[in-house]
Amino acid sequence: MYRKIKADIVYPITSEKIENGVIVVDENLVIQKIDKASAFDEAELEIYDGIIVPGFVNAHCHLELSHLKNVAQTGTGLIDFIGQVIKNRNHSIEVIQAQIQQAEQQMLSSGIVAVGDISNTTDTFQQKQKNNLKYYTFVEYFDLFQTNNTPNCIQQYDAVFNAMQPNFSNKLSKVPHAPYSVSKELFEYVIDGAPAKTISIHNQEIVDEDLLFSNKSGNFIKFYNQLQYSTNQIPQYPKSIYYALDFLSKNNINLFVHNTNTTKEDIEYTFSKLHQDKTFWCTCPNANLYIENKLPSYKTFLDTNAQVCIGTDSLTSNWQLSIFEEIKTILKYCNYIEFEKLLTWATINGAKALGWEQELGSFELGKKPGLVHINHIENGKISIKSESKIII
């Protein structure tokens, strides 16, 4: 039994938008036809006012932190935010599991079909095994440059990684947390252990990351001192990303996350070290505003033809888990970016970053990307009232 779903505008993403378009899917939700409504008997159609787009890809999330919603104060800065998360992280497993399930349902209903999810623990694994969403799980390693403890860190996060492998149908990688938290020895271990996969890494979220490497100044020095950790093992580099690029491999898809302070020169230097078509830059605008009251320079990414995708981060650093709300935030502050461009970021670019572009990210024959309805369209544009909801 085929379903024939019509909207005022259909955005296939990889081809031109279709006015009064129809998407035909089979019983397995695989796309069989894309055409104008005039090619069909109207009585056959499921009709939606507004826009239909492919399912969204949330390229960066911390689902396991869902129980910490409203715990961290807004606008305090990344280092204070990290402290608040560490201080309040422990809750009963029952509470954690219930909030993970609720957060996943929020992503599903808003139109997200796949997630690049960070795991420091096994807390999300039970929910992920239900296969409600596609998950690329990034098991995150860090040792805060305390190389005497690196073997213990490897053992700790290897246990998380190994627990994920049995009977799990989604994707999995070992990844470094961030340049400011991963020693040379741990970087080498993580990257050597994850060939030909997607590697996610937090990048240049605050200026202090660059200051830490350029001259050992800034608030990360205070952070290390508060922990009574040595900074002797932190090497000198012009920027934090330069340090990471000495370890990241051209063989992998590399996904840089946040990039709030990334410059044109940083992007161009990255392209000189890695394959441009396998390098992705994930923005999490609401999280950046929540933590730092700052957004990246999106014009920089446009000017360098960088491949951008979109994430939500966690409910600890966001008010909701909705890629469409992230799009609305970007348009609110940077309406020079075309809506169609943002849809590309939110769909096919995320799918490519996570290696699912053959199935997700666009309306093409044989794909199964999901269909999302966006309502309250005014003069052909989304409005403040617009919402996204999954159709199939």
PDB file of all heavy atoms in Angstrom, residues 72-105:
ATOM      1  N   ALA A  72      22.340  23.391  34.911  1.00  0.00           N
ATOM      2  CA  ALA A  72      23.383  24.389  34.675  1.00  0.00           C
ATOM      3  C   ALA A  72      22.762  25.751  34.391  1.00  0.00           C
ATOM      4  O   ALA A  72      21.781  25.859  33.658  1.00  0.00           O
ATOM      5  CB  ALA A  72      24.271  23.967  33.510  1.00  0.00           C
ATOM      6  N   GLN A  73      23.348  26.778  34.956  1.00  0.00           N
ATOM      7  CA  GLN A  73      22.893  28.148  34.699  1.00  0.00           C
ATOM      8  C   GLN A  73      23.312  28.586  33.301  1.00  0.00           C
ATOM      9  O   GLN A  73      24.328  28.127  32.774  1.00  0.00           O
ATOM     10  CB  GLN A  73      23.471  29.099  35.749  1.00  0.00           C
ATOM     11  CG  GLN A  73      23.013  28.805  37.158  1.00  0.00           C
ATOM     12  CD  GLN A  73      23.758  29.643  38.186  1.00  0.00           C
ATOM     13  OE1 GLN A  73      24.967  29.850  38.086  1.00  0.00           O
ATOM     14  NE2 GLN A  73      23.026  30.143  39.165  1.00  0.00           N
ATOM     15  N   THR A  74      22.558  29.476  32.702  1.00  0.00           N
ATOM     16  CA  THR A  74      22.888  29.975  31.371  1.00  0.00           C
ATOM     17  C   THR A  74      23.912  31.100  31.456  1.00  0.00           C
ATOM     18  O   THR A  74      23.969  31.848  32.443  1.00  0.00           O
ATOM     19  CB  THR A  74      21.628  30.495  30.650  1.00  0.00           C
ATOM     20  OG1 THR A  74      21.066  31.572  31.406  1.00  0.00           O
ATOM     21  CG2 THR A  74      20.590  29.399  30.507  1.00  0.00           C
ATOM     22  N   GLY A  75      24.716  31.217  30.401  1.00  0.00           N
ATOM     23  CA  GLY A  75      25.604  32.364  30.246  1.00  0.00           C
ATOM     24  C   GLY A  75      26.798  32.418  31.162  1.00  0.00           C
ATOM     25  O   GLY A  75      27.444  33.461  31.280  1.00  0.00           O
ATOM     26  N   THR A  76      27.159  31.290  31.808  1.00  0.00           N
ATOM     27  CA  THR A  76      28.267  31.330  32.770  1.00  0.00           C
ATOM     28  C   THR A  76      29.615  31.024  32.133  1.00  0.00           C
ATOM     29  O   THR A  76      30.649  31.192  32.768  1.00  0.00           O
ATOM     30  CB  THR A  76      28.029  30.320  33.906  1.00  0.00           C
ATOM     31  OG1 THR A  76      27.954  28.998  33.354  1.00  0.00           O
ATOM     32  CG2 THR A  76      26.743  30.634  34.652  1.00  0.00           C
ATOM     33  N   GLY A  77      29.617  30.535  30.883  1.00  0.00           N
ATOM     34  CA  GLY A  77      30.856  30.168  30.223  1.00  0.00           C
ATOM     35  C   GLY A  77      31.120  28.674  30.321  1.00  0.00           C
ATOM     36  O   GLY A  77      30.619  27.986  31.223  1.00  0.00           O
ATOM     37  N   LEU A  78      31.910  28.159  29.388  1.00  0.00           N
ATOM     38  CA  LEU A  78      32.108  26.723  29.262  1.00  0.00           C
ATOM     39  C   LEU A  78      32.737  26.099  30.495  1.00  0.00           C
ATOM     40  O   LEU A  78      32.297  25.033  30.951  1.00  0.00           O
ATOM     41  CB  LEU A  78      32.992  26.432  28.039  1.00  0.00           C
ATOM     42  CG  LEU A  78      33.322  24.955  27.806  1.00  0.00           C
ATOM     43  CD1 LEU A  78      32.057  24.155  27.526  1.00  0.00           C
ATOM     44  CD2 LEU A  78      34.326  24.794  26.678  1.00  0.00           C
ATOM     45  N   ILE A  79      33.760  26.719  31.062  1.00  0.00           N
ATOM     46  CA  ILE A  79      34.479  26.085  32.159  1.00  0.00           C
ATOM     47  C   ILE A  79      33.594  25.970  33.396  1.00  0.00           C
ATOM     48  O   ILE A  79      33.557  24.920  34.059  1.00  0.00           O
ATOM     49  CB  ILE A  79      35.774  26.854  32.457  1.00  0.00           C
ATOM     50  CG1 ILE A  79      36.713  26.723  31.244  1.00  0.00           C
ATOM     51  CG2 ILE A  79      36.450  26.339  33.718  1.00  0.00           C
ATOM     52  CD1 ILE A  79      37.954  27.555  31.306  1.00  0.00           C
ATOM     53  N   ASP A  80      32.846  27.016  33.697  1.00  0.00           N
ATOM     54  CA  ASP A  80      31.896  26.936  34.810  1.00  0.00           C
ATOM     55  C   ASP A  80      30.805  25.914  34.505  1.00  0.00           C
ATOM     56  O   ASP A  80      30.371  25.172  35.389  1.00  0.00           O
ATOM     57  CB  ASP A  80      31.274  28.308  35.075  1.00  0.00           C
ATOM     58  CG  ASP A  80      30.405  28.312  36.324  1.00  0.00           C
ATOM     59  OD1 ASP A  80      30.974  28.268  37.426  1.00  0.00           O
ATOM     60  OD2 ASP A  80      29.162  28.336  36.194  1.00  0.00           O
ATOM     61  N   PHE A  81      30.375  25.858  33.249  1.00  0.00           N
ATOM     62  CA  PHE A  81      29.361  24.887  32.834  1.00  0.00           C
ATOM     63  C   PHE A  81      29.858  23.462  33.075  1.00  0.00           C
ATOM     64  O   PHE A  81      29.128  22.616  33.610  1.00  0.00           O
ATOM     65  CB  PHE A  81      29.029  25.082  31.347  1.00  0.00           C
ATOM     66  CG  PHE A  81      28.131  24.029  30.769  1.00  0.00           C
ATOM     67  CD1 PHE A  81      26.761  24.104  30.934  1.00  0.00           C
ATOM     68  CD2 PHE A  81      28.665  22.965  30.063  1.00  0.00           C
ATOM     69  CE1 PHE A  81      25.931  23.126  30.402  1.00  0.00           C
ATOM     70  CE2 PHE A  81      27.848  21.988  29.525  1.00  0.00           C
ATOM     71  CZ  PHE A  81      26.477  22.066  29.697  1.00  0.00           C
ATOM     72  N   ILE A  82      31.099  23.165  32.685  1.00  0.00           N
ATOM     73  CA  ILE A  82      31.667  21.838  32.898  1.00  0.00           C
ATOM     74  C   ILE A  82      31.646  21.489  34.387  1.00  0.00           C
ATOM     75  O   ILE A  82      31.280  20.371  34.778  1.00  0.00           O
ATOM     76  CB  ILE A  82      33.102  21.760  32.347  1.00  0.00           C
ATOM     77  CG1 ILE A  82      33.098  21.876  30.815  1.00  0.00           C
ATOM     78  CG2 ILE A  82      33.783  20.451  32.759  1.00  0.00           C
ATOM     79  CD1 ILE A  82      34.482  22.032  30.213  1.00  0.00           C
ATOM     80  N   GLY A  83      32.000  22.457  35.212  1.00  0.00           N
ATOM     81  CA  GLY A  83      31.988  22.229  36.658  1.00  0.00           C
ATOM     82  C   GLY A  83      30.606  21.899  37.188  1.00  0.00           C
ATOM     83  O   GLY A  83      30.447  21.011  38.041  1.00  0.00           O
ATOM     84  N   GLN A  84      29.591  22.602  36.679  1.00  0.00           N
ATOM     85  CA  GLN A  84      28.230  22.340  37.116  1.00  0.00           C
ATOM     86  C   GLN A  84      27.770  20.941  36.702  1.00  0.00           C
ATOM     87  O   GLN A  84      27.079  20.253  37.462  1.00  0.00           O
ATOM     88  CB  GLN A  84      27.279  23.389  36.524  1.00  0.00           C
ATOM     89  CG  GLN A  84      27.484  24.793  37.083  1.00  0.00           C
ATOM     90  CD  GLN A  84      26.506  25.788  36.474  1.00  0.00           C
ATOM     91  OE1 GLN A  84      25.308  25.746  36.748  1.00  0.00           O
ATOM     92  NE2 GLN A  84      27.012  26.668  35.626  1.00  0.00           N
ATOM     93  N   VAL A  85      28.164  20.510  35.508  1.00  0.00           N
ATOM     94  CA  VAL A  85      27.790  19.172  35.039  1.00  0.00           C
ATOM     95  C   VAL A  85      28.454  18.108  35.901  1.00  0.00           C
ATOM     96  O   VAL A  85      27.800  17.147  36.344  1.00  0.00           O
ATOM     97  CB  VAL A  85      28.174  18.986  33.559  1.00  0.00           C
ATOM     98  CG1 VAL A  85      27.992  17.527  33.132  1.00  0.00           C
ATOM     99  CG2 VAL A  85      27.343  19.898  32.680  1.00  0.00           C
ATOM    100  N   ILE A  86      29.755  18.267  36.166  1.00  0.00           N
ATOM    101  CA  ILE A  86      30.474  17.288  36.985  1.00  0.00           C
ATOM    102  C   ILE A  86      29.861  17.200  38.383  1.00  0.00           C
ATOM    103  O   ILE A  86      29.655  16.102  38.918  1.00  0.00           O
ATOM    104  CB  ILE A  86      31.973  17.662  37.078  1.00  0.00           C
ATOM    105  CG1 ILE A  86      32.636  17.519  35.701  1.00  0.00           C
ATOM    106  CG2 ILE A  86      32.681  16.797  38.110  1.00  0.00           C
ATOM    107  CD1 ILE A  86      34.049  18.058  35.642  1.00  0.00           C
ATOM    108  N   LYS A  87      29.531  18.338  38.948  1.00  0.00           N
ATOM    109  CA  LYS A  87      29.000  18.388  40.318  1.00  0.00           C
ATOM    110  C   LYS A  87      27.636  17.731  40.437  1.00  0.00           C
ATOM    111  O   LYS A  87      27.317  17.112  41.459  1.00  0.00           O
ATOM    112  CB  LYS A  87      28.910  19.853  40.761  1.00  0.00           C
ATOM    113  CG  LYS A  87      28.399  20.050  42.184  1.00  0.00           C
ATOM    114  CD  LYS A  87      28.352  21.527  42.539  1.00  0.00           C
ATOM    115  CE  LYS A  87      27.800  21.738  43.936  1.00  0.00           C
ATOM    116  NZ  LYS A  87      27.735  23.186  44.284  1.00  0.00           N
ATOM    117  N   ASN A  88      26.816  17.840  39.398  1.00  0.00           N
ATOM    118  CA  ASN A  88      25.419  17.397  39.498  1.00  0.00           C
ATOM    119  C   ASN A  88      25.098  16.152  38.678  1.00  0.00           C
ATOM    120  O   ASN A  88      23.929  15.782  38.552  1.00  0.00           O
ATOM    121  CB  ASN A  88      24.494  18.538  39.048  1.00  0.00           C
ATOM    122  CG  ASN A  88      24.569  19.741  39.962  1.00  0.00           C
ATOM    123  OD1 ASN A  88      24.090  19.720  41.077  1.00  0.00           O
ATOM    124  ND2 ASN A  88      25.207  20.806  39.472  1.00  0.00           N
ATOM    125  N   ARG A  89      26.114  15.486  38.151  1.00  0.00           N
ATOM    126  CA  ARG A  89      25.868  14.431  37.167  1.00  0.00           C
ATOM    127  C   ARG A  89      25.214  13.180  37.756  1.00  0.00           C
ATOM    128  O   ARG A  89      24.440  12.505  37.099  1.00  0.00           O
ATOM    129  CB  ARG A  89      27.187  14.058  36.477  1.00  0.00           C
ATOM    130  CG  ARG A  89      26.994  13.040  35.371  1.00  0.00           C
ATOM    131  CD  ARG A  89      28.176  13.007  34.424  1.00  0.00           C
ATOM    132  NE  ARG A  89      27.914  12.103  33.310  1.00  0.00           N
ATOM    133  CZ  ARG A  89      28.522  12.145  32.147  1.00  0.00           C
ATOM    134  NH1 ARG A  89      29.423  13.078  31.922  1.00  0.00           N
ATOM    135  NH2 ARG A  89      28.236  11.289  31.190  1.00  0.00           N
ATOM    136  N   ASN A  90      25.515  12.847  38.981  1.00  0.00           N
ATOM    137  CA  ASN A  90      25.069  11.575  39.551  1.00  0.00           C
ATOM    138  C   ASN A  90      23.595  11.603  39.951  1.00  0.00           C
ATOM    139  O   ASN A  90      23.175  12.429  40.763  1.00  0.00           O
ATOM    140  CB  ASN A  90      25.921  11.206  40.765  1.00  0.00           C
ATOM    141  CG  ASN A  90      27.362  10.900  40.383  1.00  0.00           C
ATOM    142  OD1 ASN A  90      27.620  10.404  39.293  1.00  0.00           O
ATOM    143  ND2 ASN A  90      28.291  11.197  41.270  1.00  0.00           N
ATOM    144  N   HIS A  91      22.821  10.698  39.363  1.00  0.00           N
ATOM    145  CA  HIS A  91      21.420  10.480  39.709  1.00  0.00           C
ATOM    146  C   HIS A  91      21.156   8.977  39.670  1.00  0.00           C
ATOM    147  O   HIS A  91      21.985   8.200  39.200  1.00  0.00           O
ATOM    148  CB  HIS A  91      20.485  11.191  38.717  1.00  0.00           C
ATOM    149  CG  HIS A  91      20.421  12.677  38.901  1.00  0.00           C
ATOM    150  ND1 HIS A  91      21.479  13.504  38.575  1.00  0.00           N
ATOM    151  CD2 HIS A  91      19.441  13.495  39.364  1.00  0.00           C
ATOM    152  CE1 HIS A  91      21.144  14.768  38.826  1.00  0.00           C
ATOM    153  NE2 HIS A  91      19.921  14.785  39.304  1.00  0.00           N
ATOM    154  N   SER A  92      19.995   8.576  40.136  1.00  0.00           N
ATOM    155  CA  SER A  92      19.668   7.161  40.091  1.00  0.00           C
ATOM    156  C   SER A  92      19.509   6.711  38.642  1.00  0.00           C
ATOM    157  O   SER A  92      19.109   7.497  37.778  1.00  0.00           O
ATOM    158  CB  SER A  92      18.371   6.881  40.861  1.00  0.00           C
ATOM    159  OG  SER A  92      17.256   7.385  40.145  1.00  0.00           O
ATOM    160  N   ILE A  93      19.810   5.453  38.396  1.00  0.00           N
ATOM    161  CA  ILE A  93      19.709   4.935  37.035  1.00  0.00           C
ATOM    162  C   ILE A  93      18.276   4.996  36.535  1.00  0.00           C
ATOM    163  O   ILE A  93      18.028   5.174  35.340  1.00  0.00           O
ATOM    164  CB  ILE A  93      20.264   3.495  36.948  1.00  0.00           C
ATOM    165  CG1 ILE A  93      20.399   3.055  35.485  1.00  0.00           C
ATOM    166  CG2 ILE A  93      19.417   2.534  37.750  1.00  0.00           C
ATOM    167  CD1 ILE A  93      21.356   3.886  34.664  1.00  0.00           C
ATOM    168  N   GLU A  94      17.305   4.886  37.443  1.00  0.00           N
ATOM    169  CA  GLU A  94      15.895   4.969  37.051  1.00  0.00           C
ATOM    170  C   GLU A  94      15.562   6.349  36.502  1.00  0.00           C
ATOM    171  O   GLU A  94      14.881   6.472  35.470  1.00  0.00           O
ATOM    172  CB  GLU A  94      14.985   4.627  38.227  1.00  0.00           C
ATOM    173  CG  GLU A  94      15.028   3.190  38.690  1.00  0.00           C
ATOM    174  CD  GLU A  94      16.234   2.866  39.566  1.00  0.00           C
ATOM    175  OE1 GLU A  94      16.906   3.823  40.027  1.00  0.00           O
ATOM    176  OE2 GLU A  94      16.503   1.666  39.776  1.00  0.00           O
ATOM    177  N   VAL A  95      16.038   7.378  37.158  1.00  0.00           N
ATOM    178  CA  VAL A  95      15.809   8.750  36.690  1.00  0.00           C
ATOM    179  C   VAL A  95      16.528   8.981  35.367  1.00  0.00           C
ATOM    180  O   VAL A  95      15.967   9.553  34.429  1.00  0.00           O
ATOM    181  CB  VAL A  95      16.288   9.769  37.744  1.00  0.00           C
ATOM    182  CG1 VAL A  95      16.319  11.187  37.171  1.00  0.00           C
ATOM    183  CG2 VAL A  95      15.402   9.721  38.979  1.00  0.00           C
ATOM    184  N   ILE A  96      17.759   8.537  35.271  1.00  0.00           N
ATOM    185  CA  ILE A  96      18.538   8.721  34.044  1.00  0.00           C
ATOM    186  C   ILE A  96      17.852   8.051  32.867  1.00  0.00           C
ATOM    187  O   ILE A  96      17.682   8.654  31.797  1.00  0.00           O
ATOM    188  CB  ILE A  96      19.964   8.168  34.235  1.00  0.00           C
ATOM    189  CG1 ILE A  96      20.729   9.035  35.250  1.00  0.00           C
ATOM    190  CG2 ILE A  96      20.714   8.118  32.903  1.00  0.00           C
ATOM    191  CD1 ILE A  96      22.077   8.463  35.659  1.00  0.00           C
ATOM    192  N   GLN A  97      17.432   6.802  33.038  1.00  0.00           N
ATOM    193  CA  GLN A  97      16.797   6.066  31.946  1.00  0.00           C
ATOM    194  C   GLN A  97      15.483   6.698  31.525  1.00  0.00           C
ATOM    195  O   GLN A  97      15.174   6.790  30.322  1.00  0.00           O
ATOM    196  CB  GLN A  97      16.563   4.608  32.368  1.00  0.00           C
ATOM    197  CG  GLN A  97      17.822   3.793  32.576  1.00  0.00           C
ATOM    198  CD  GLN A  97      18.571   3.528  31.276  1.00  0.00           C
ATOM    199  OE1 GLN A  97      18.012   3.610  30.194  1.00  0.00           O
ATOM    200  NE2 GLN A  97      19.853   3.211  31.379  1.00  0.00           N
ATOM    201  N   ALA A  98      14.705   7.162  32.488  1.00  0.00           N
ATOM    202  CA  ALA A  98      13.417   7.781  32.160  1.00  0.00           C
ATOM    203  C   ALA A  98      13.615   9.058  31.358  1.00  0.00           C
ATOM    204  O   ALA A  98      12.871   9.322  30.389  1.00  0.00           O
ATOM    205  CB  ALA A  98      12.640   8.080  33.441  1.00  0.00           C
ATOM    206  N   GLN A  99      14.608   9.849  31.709  1.00  0.00           N
ATOM    207  CA  GLN A  99      14.853  11.103  31.000  1.00  0.00           C
ATOM    208  C   GLN A  99      15.457  10.854  29.619  1.00  0.00           C
ATOM    209  O   GLN A  99      15.181  11.599  28.673  1.00  0.00           O
ATOM    210  CB  GLN A  99      15.769  12.008  31.836  1.00  0.00           C
ATOM    211  CG  GLN A  99      15.123  12.513  33.116  1.00  0.00           C
ATOM    212  CD  GLN A  99      13.837  13.258  32.854  1.00  0.00           C
ATOM    213  OE1 GLN A  99      13.771  14.147  31.999  1.00  0.00           O
ATOM    214  NE2 GLN A  99      12.788  12.902  33.591  1.00  0.00           N
ATOM    215  N   ILE A 100      16.267   9.818  29.484  1.00  0.00           N
ATOM    216  CA  ILE A 100      16.800   9.446  28.166  1.00  0.00           C
ATOM    217  C   ILE A 100      15.658   9.064  27.238  1.00  0.00           C
ATOM    218  O   ILE A 100      15.599   9.503  26.077  1.00  0.00           O
ATOM    219  CB  ILE A 100      17.807   8.289  28.307  1.00  0.00           C
ATOM    220  CG1 ILE A 100      19.114   8.800  28.916  1.00  0.00           C
ATOM    221  CG2 ILE A 100      18.071   7.611  26.953  1.00  0.00           C
ATOM    222  CD1 ILE A 100      20.085   7.699  29.309  1.00  0.00           C
ATOM    223  N   GLN A 101      14.741   8.263  27.734  1.00  0.00           N
ATOM    224  CA  GLN A 101      13.604   7.836  26.921  1.00  0.00           C
ATOM    225  C   GLN A 101      12.748   9.024  26.505  1.00  0.00           C
ATOM    226  O   GLN A 101      12.327   9.135  25.341  1.00  0.00           O
ATOM    227  CB  GLN A 101      12.753   6.835  27.710  1.00  0.00           C
ATOM    228  CG  GLN A 101      11.600   6.253  26.907  1.00  0.00           C
ATOM    229  CD  GLN A 101      10.861   5.173  27.671  1.00  0.00           C
ATOM    230  OE1 GLN A 101      11.204   4.832  28.799  1.00  0.00           O
ATOM    231  NE2 GLN A 101       9.823   4.613  27.064  1.00  0.00           N
ATOM    232  N   GLN A 102      12.508   9.938  27.426  1.00  0.00           N
ATOM    233  CA  GLN A 102      11.696  11.117  27.127  1.00  0.00           C
ATOM    234  C   GLN A 102      12.395  12.020  26.104  1.00  0.00           C
ATOM    235  O   GLN A 102      11.753  12.557  25.187  1.00  0.00           O
ATOM    236  CB  GLN A 102      11.421  11.889  28.413  1.00  0.00           C
ATOM    237  CG  GLN A 102      10.497  13.076  28.251  1.00  0.00           C
ATOM    238  CD  GLN A 102      10.167  13.714  29.590  1.00  0.00           C
ATOM    239  OE1 GLN A 102      10.083  13.060  30.618  1.00  0.00           O
ATOM    240  NE2 GLN A 102       9.981  15.035  29.589  1.00  0.00           N
ATOM    241  N   ALA A 103      13.711  12.187  26.252  1.00  0.00           N
ATOM    242  CA  ALA A 103      14.468  13.031  25.325  1.00  0.00           C
ATOM    243  C   ALA A 103      14.473  12.428  23.930  1.00  0.00           C
ATOM    244  O   ALA A 103      14.350  13.145  22.931  1.00  0.00           O
ATOM    245  CB  ALA A 103      15.895  13.216  25.838  1.00  0.00           C
ATOM    246  N   GLU A 104      14.612  11.099  23.832  1.00  0.00           N
ATOM    247  CA  GLU A 104      14.576  10.463  22.527  1.00  0.00           C
ATOM    248  C   GLU A 104      13.230  10.676  21.855  1.00  0.00           C
ATOM    249  O   GLU A 104      13.163  10.948  20.653  1.00  0.00           O
ATOM    250  CB  GLU A 104      14.858   8.965  22.650  1.00  0.00           C
ATOM    251  CG  GLU A 104      14.895   8.284  21.287  1.00  0.00           C
ATOM    252  CD  GLU A 104      14.960   6.774  21.386  1.00  0.00           C
ATOM    253  OE1 GLU A 104      13.945   6.152  21.777  1.00  0.00           O
ATOM    254  OE2 GLU A 104      16.024   6.210  21.057  1.00  0.00           O
ATOM    255  N   GLN A 105      12.156  10.586  22.627  1.00  0.00           N
ATOM    256  CA  GLN A 105      10.826  10.792  22.065  1.00  0.00           C
ATOM    257  C   GLN A 105      10.674  12.216  21.544  1.00  0.00           C
ATOM    258  O   GLN A 105      10.039  12.454  20.505  1.00  0.00           O
ATOM    259  CB  GLN A 105       9.745  10.496  23.109  1.00  0.00           C
ATOM    260  CG  GLN A 105       8.327  10.612  22.584  1.00  0.00           C
ATOM    261  CD  GLN A 105       8.065   9.748  21.366  1.00  0.00           C
ATOM    262  OE1 GLN A 105       8.415   8.567  21.352  1.00  0.00           O
ATOM    263  NE2 GLN A 105       7.467  10.324  20.328  1.00  0.00           N
TER     264      GLN A 105
END
